[in-house]
Amino acid sequence: MATSEELHKRRVGAVARGVGSTIAAYVDRAGGGTITDVDGREWIDFAAGIAVTTVGNSAPRVVEAVRAQVERFTHTCFMVAPYESYVAVCEQLNALTPGGFEKRSALFNSGAEAVENAVKIARHATGRPAVVVFDHAYHGRTNLTMALTAKNMPYKHRFGPFAGEVYRVPMSYPLRDGGLDGATAAARSIEMIEKQVGAENVAALLIEPIQGEGGFVVPAEGFLPALREWATAAGVVFVADEIQTGFCRTGDWFACAHEGVEPDLVTLAKGIAGGLPLAAVTGRAELMDAVHVGGLGGTYGGNPIACAAALAAMETMRELDLAAAARRIGAVMGARLRAIADRDPRVAEVRGRGAMLAVEIVVPGTLTPDPAATAAISAACHAAGLLTLTCGTYGNVLRFLPPLVISDDELARGLDILDAAFG
Ligand code: PLZ
């Protein structure tokens, strides 16, 4: 087998430079809480492919379901010749997502595609043009979702012009907004919407209940409920982007549940299908069904192999109670992170929920972001056998997203490496 070094040389000559990778090691196999490269080096996995392999890599039920489906048929296109698993995935999403009301779902391939479709549905149902998003938001890399995403580098730089009718308002970011309470932070954002856009022009308010790429920003208690209440009164479709937070990651099926917020539409992807590409929009039947027949779709959306994987992944989450696992991981990891923060003045804050935790790194004694120190700590983790990711508008957040099936021993070893990387 070729070595990681050899493969990296080939990659440079074959793969477009614009596609980056966190590590230069090439994967041979992965499962449980580890990834092994072609040279036999092992990493403890605190990335889960960016919150995707929640049930673990090659989770037994997923493997079995995919194998059985591949043998039956690989693709017919649901828009041409439909099949049961697509319907079954939609039924489960309708039942699992927050809100006791009648729901419908539609399936797509990627998170960005789900977000695009949520905007299509909200615009169609309301007849209004504007979409409101937040500082630090991340919603994807397609043209519309680049416009919805806040950060220029690397996502938007020189890729414009971007889609119009997108308006950005402040996020609740307790560390960086002077600790505004949720209601006050929401009032500030709402005033900006009303003054600069006009509520009657707004089709959708789109928000990540905990921001992912933007830095694991957890809004102050009360922020999401206040926005939800305003959206209801203003006839604005409240869209929760649960692409990174969904499917047990934060210790509940969905992060909105933490404050009892019921979105009109939810976008879903990542953890939904154990690593196979699948995404969804789920929401109020009257909004979803407002769109004319044929108005939503795509060749591969709800591919039968991905649907089989999703049914198996959701069954795994239920049977292993992975929401409880996320809370357990969060308790163990949170304690270790707070101990690091107590001794290391570069850690300005430990935040997140469940198995979606992060530390924000600053110049000691200030709130000045320190992306160089963040990158150095992350690189030290990689060198010592722990796969970590960074994020944040300022690149100064180290985030941790282990698979929820990680063993106690792997978690402890990973945290030991992390602890040592802080020196
Ligand atoms: N919405 C909240 O987190 C994807 C992107 C990594 P896709 N986040 C990881 C990168 O650098 O491309 C994401 C997300 C939220 C939407 C998306 C987009 O999902 O499946 O990557 O299109």
Side-chain angles (χ1 to χ4, degrees):
M1 202 189 300
T3 64
S4 273
E5 200 183 330
E6 287 161 357
L7 289 172
H8 198 68
K9 280 202 186 103
R10 266 171 59 195
R11 175 230 183 96
V12 169
V15 179
R17 194 170 68 115
V19 183
S21 296
T22 303
I23 56 175
Y26 287 71
V27 179
D28 177 43
R29 58 191 184 275
T34 63
I35 293 179
T36 307
D37 86 345
V38 290
D39 303 331
R41 288 193 61 193
E42 190 183 279
W43 282 263
I44 291 172
D45 183 9
F46 277 11
I50 324 188
V52 170
T53 50
T54 299
V55 296
N57 258 292
S58 304
R61 287 179 192 76
V62 172
V63 170
E64 199 183 308
V66 165
R67 188 174 284 142
Q69 181 57 47
V70 164
E71 283 173 1
R72 284 178 62 216
F73 60 96
T74 49
H75 175 86
T76 57
C77 185
F78 192 75
M79 299 185 305
V80 176
Y83 37 88
E84 180 180 354
S85 56
Y86 187 117
V87 179
V89 169
C90 292
E91 287 169 345
Q92 293 214 17
L93 297 180
N94 297 347
L96 284 171
T97 49
F101 40 82
E102 181 82 6
K103 295 182 202 134
R104 301 285 184 271
S105 292
L107 305 183
F108 304 98
N109 302 292
S110 67
E113 206 188 341
V115 173
E116 293 252 0
N117 278 280
V119 171
K120 281 169 64 172
I121 293 160
R123 282 180 170 156
H124 190 104
T126 61
R128 301 172 176 184
V131 182
V132 172
V133 289
F134 290 81
D135 284 334
H136 314 288
Y138 183 91
H139 298 292
R141 292 176 182 266
T142 58
N143 186 266
L144 173 59
T145 61
M146 276 193 290
L148 301 170
T149 290
K151 191 174 175 178
N152 179 49
M153 271 305 256
Y155 308 121
K156 302 167 75 165
H157 185 63
R158 295 176 65 123
F159 296 141
F162 302 112
E165 287 301 325
V166 173
Y167 301 90
R168 192 172 308 286
V169 297
M171 178 65 181
S172 164
Y173 190 159
L175 179 70
R176 294 190 176 275
D177 64 12
L180 280 186
D181 66 77
T184 308
R188 176 179 67 166
S189 305
I190 289 165
E191 189 187 0
M192 195 177 277
I193 300 168
E194 289 181 338
K195 294 284 178 277
Q196 299 186 13
V197 192
E200 62 279 20
N201 298 317
V202 180
L205 181 145
L206 170 64
I207 189 163
E208 300 156 87
I210 297 176
Q211 289 182 323
E213 305 309 302
F216 282 27
V217 178
V218 185
E221 204 81 24
F223 185 71
L224 295 171
L227 293 174
R228 166 69 277 189
E229 205 177 304
W230 173 82
T232 303
V236 168
V237 179
F238 184 103
V239 186
D241 182 343
E242 292 248 17
I243 286 166
Q244 192 151 161
T245 49
F247 296 102
C248 301
R249 176 55 54 190
T250 65
D252 211 318
W253 275 94
F254 299 98
C256 279
H258 181 75
E259 289 192 80
V261 167
E262 297 182 351
D264 299 311
L265 301 178
V266 190
T267 55
L268 303 165
K270 290 195 186 275
I272 190 172
L276 275 87
L278 187 72
V281 181
T282 297
R284 287 188 186 275
E286 62 272 25
L287 297 173
M288 297 293 296
D289 281 345
V291 179
H292 50 280
V293 174
L296 304 174
T299 304
Y300 291 111
N303 166 272
I305 300 166
C307 284
L311 293 172
M314 288 189 274
E315 186 185 317
T316 303
M317 291 174 210
R318 252 191 307 271
E319 284 192 4
L320 302 183
D321 195 354
L322 292 187
R327 294 193 292 272
R328 258 194 328 272
I329 291 167
V332 171
M333 187 181 270
R336 291 291 295 270
L337 296 178
R338 282 189 293 276
I340 293 171
D342 284 344
R343 69 162 204 263
D344 192 325
R346 294 174 297 176
V347 179
E349 189 175 50
V350 177
R351 61 174 180 254
R353 189 171 296 135
M356 182 174 182
L357 295 185
V359 292
E360 179 157 352
I361 307 293
V362 297
V363 175
T366 74
L367 278 180
T368 308
D370 194 341
T374 312
I377 296 163
S378 205
C381 290
H382 302 163
L386 174 67
L387 188 52
T388 49
L389 301 172
T390 59
C391 64
T393 295
Y394 316 105
N396 69 325
V397 179
L398 257 176
R399 60 171 155 170
F400 313 110
L401 293 161
L404 302 183
V405 296
I406 192 168
S407 70
D408 293 346
D409 172 63
E410 288 163 341
L411 180 61
R413 281 193 286 139
L415 291 169
D416 287 344
I417 293 173
L418 182 65
D419 198 288
F422 274 87

